[in-house]
Amino acid sequence: MATAKKTRGLGKGLDALFGDVEVTGHSTASQDAGNGISYIDINDIKPNAGQPRKNFDEEKLKELAASIEEHGLIQPVVLRKAKRGYEIVAGERRWRAARIVGLKELPCIVKELSDEENMLLAIIENMQREDLNPIEEAEGISQMIETYGLTQEEVSKSLGKSRPYITNSLRLLKLNSDVRDYVSGKLLSSGHARAIAAISDEDKQKELADMAVKEGLSVRQIEKLAQEKKTGKARRSAATAAKDPDVKRVEEDLKEIFGTRVNLNRRGKKGKIEIEFYSREELDRLLELLKTLA
């Protein structure tokens, strides 16, 4: 494996881990395993502290465990030596599933890796297998840049992703922590999250995210609402400042009636009433309410 200074060329990804390996036989000792596969006591293996993936789906782990129980562990786990035992570079899901099954030993490849190479390959492995949620992916990319000094261009080449993809992913780290949890929990997609991240105010991010989850809004709807919050803020503030207490009181009364934001814009004796809605279901509800009032 290359030294830390040469990890800029990690675009080969997992090929660097699994190329030209041979099974060395069933052995508990792997100090001279070289590029072959050795069987290592599962209790001598520990997770990677720099693992970018934080959440492991229990159901999927059980499914993987069932597959391992029936077919065995087909793909080896990649390790590096630690002060005591070994640390996982790639294959933590397989290791966790194997523990569920009760395997005593695992087929492994032991590599000599620097901290930088270890972290980079862990991120690459997870991203190539699409195992990371968007927030974990963004945090992994950020770590590559902030901790190990890679440029966005180098990250792009190493992960096989476009520059815009890397930039958009990093934008998710600007999100309110609650919104990040929605994305990690798959309540919001990465498309929703990118649209919400366009808003700098974290309270407004949370407000829009709650609305998206509650109303089931599409990404396009969220993009439109986010843009309105950005461009309409100054106009609404100016309009609000100009309103007299009577107008505000009427707006509050109408808000109570309709259950949504209502704007009353008056010019002399004329004006208009704006009733906001955020989904087709919300519009249908308001139409029915207006019919009953009529």
Side-chain angles (χ1 to χ4, degrees):
M1 191 71 189
T3 62
K5 291 183 179 180
K6 295 182 180 180
T7 55
R8 305 297 187 256
L10 282 174
K12 291 183 179 180
L14 300 186
D15 290 341
L17 296 179
F18 297 110
D20 300 325
V21 297
E22 297 179 358
V23 177
T24 60
H26 201 84
S27 171
T28 56
S30 60
Q31 293 180 355
D32 59 351
N35 286 327
I37 296 176
S38 296
Y39 286 82
I40 294 176
D41 190 320
I42 196 169
N43 293 318
D44 289 337
I45 302 170
K46 65 178 181 179
N48 183 348
Q51 159 73 268
R53 185 176 186 181
K54 308 302 179 187
N55 300 304
F56 292 85
D57 189 300
E58 290 298 325
E59 286 301 315
K60 289 186 177 180
L61 277 179
K62 290 177 182 177
E63 291 174 6
L64 180 57
S67 175
I68 291 174
E69 190 168 30
E70 182 174 357
H71 304 291
L73 188 58
I74 298 173
Q75 191 172 44
V77 175
V78 180
L79 310 175
R80 70 168 182 164
K81 292 180 181 178
K83 290 183 178 179
R84 295 184 61 183
Y86 301 87
E87 183 180 60
I88 298 171
V89 176
E92 184 168 339
R93 286 184 70 248
R94 278 164 273 152
W95 173 76
R96 287 174 178 264
R99 291 179 70 88
I100 293 174
V101 174
L103 295 186
K104 303 299 182 184
E105 295 177 326
L106 298 183
C108 302
I109 300 171
V110 181
K111 291 285 186 178
E112 292 184 8
L113 302 174
S114 67
D115 289 342
E116 181 180 2
E117 291 168 331
N118 177 36
M119 188 275 293
L120 292 177
L121 288 173
I123 293 173
I124 290 170
E125 193 241 3
N126 279 287
M127 289 187 66
Q128 287 187 352
R129 300 182 193 285
E130 299 182 350
D131 279 346
L132 299 180
N133 68 52
I135 299 301
E136 291 171 334
E137 185 175 284
E139 289 172 343
I141 291 172
S142 177
Q143 189 177 7
M144 295 172 75
I145 294 170
E146 299 296 329
T147 305
Y148 296 101
L150 273 69
T151 65
Q152 287 196 24
E153 183 65 30
E154 289 168 337
V155 172
S156 171
K157 290 180 179 178
S158 292
L159 299 179
K161 303 287 186 180
S162 68
R163 277 291 302 277
Y165 183 96
I166 300 300
T167 301
N168 284 331
S169 181
L170 289 171
R171 286 175 59 197
L172 302 187
L173 299 181
K174 297 178 180 180
L175 290 170
N176 169 292
S177 60
D178 291 329
V179 182
R180 291 194 197 188
D181 290 341
Y182 284 157
V183 179
S184 298
K186 299 182 180 179
L187 294 175
L188 290 176
S189 70
S190 57
H192 287 97
R194 285 195 296 271
I196 294 171
I199 303 172
S200 58
D201 188 306
E202 291 194 1
D203 290 335
K204 285 183 169 53
Q205 289 179 359
K206 177 65 163 53
E207 178 184 336
L208 194 52
D210 288 341
M211 190 183 302
V213 172
K214 180 181 178 181
E215 304 289 343
L217 304 184
S218 68
V219 173
R220 187 177 295 274
Q221 288 172 311
I222 289 296
E223 288 174 342
K224 184 177 179 181
L225 289 170
Q227 187 63 26
E228 288 175 356
K229 283 185 178 293
K230 288 176 64 180
T231 60
K233 180 179 179 182
R235 290 198 301 273
R236 286 197 298 272
S237 297
T240 301
K243 291 178 181 177
D244 62 41
D246 289 335
V247 171
K248 293 180 181 179
R249 188 158 42 248
V250 172
E251 287 180 339
E252 287 300 316
D253 290 341
L254 291 173
K255 181 179 179 181
E256 287 293 323
I257 294 171
F258 292 109
T260 187
R261 186 193 301 271
V262 177
N263 293 313
L264 176 60
N265 297 315
R266 189 174 66 182
R267 293 183 179 179
K269 295 182 179 180
K270 297 181 180 181
K272 62 181 179 179
I273 297 174
E274 297 178 343
I275 305 173
E276 296 188 9
F277 60 91
Y278 307 101
S279 68
R280 180 53 190 265
E281 292 75 14
E282 182 76 358
L283 175 59
D284 290 340
R285 182 186 70 80
L286 291 170
L287 289 174
E288 289 298 321
L289 180 57
L290 288 169
K291 288 178 183 177
T292 61
L293 293 175

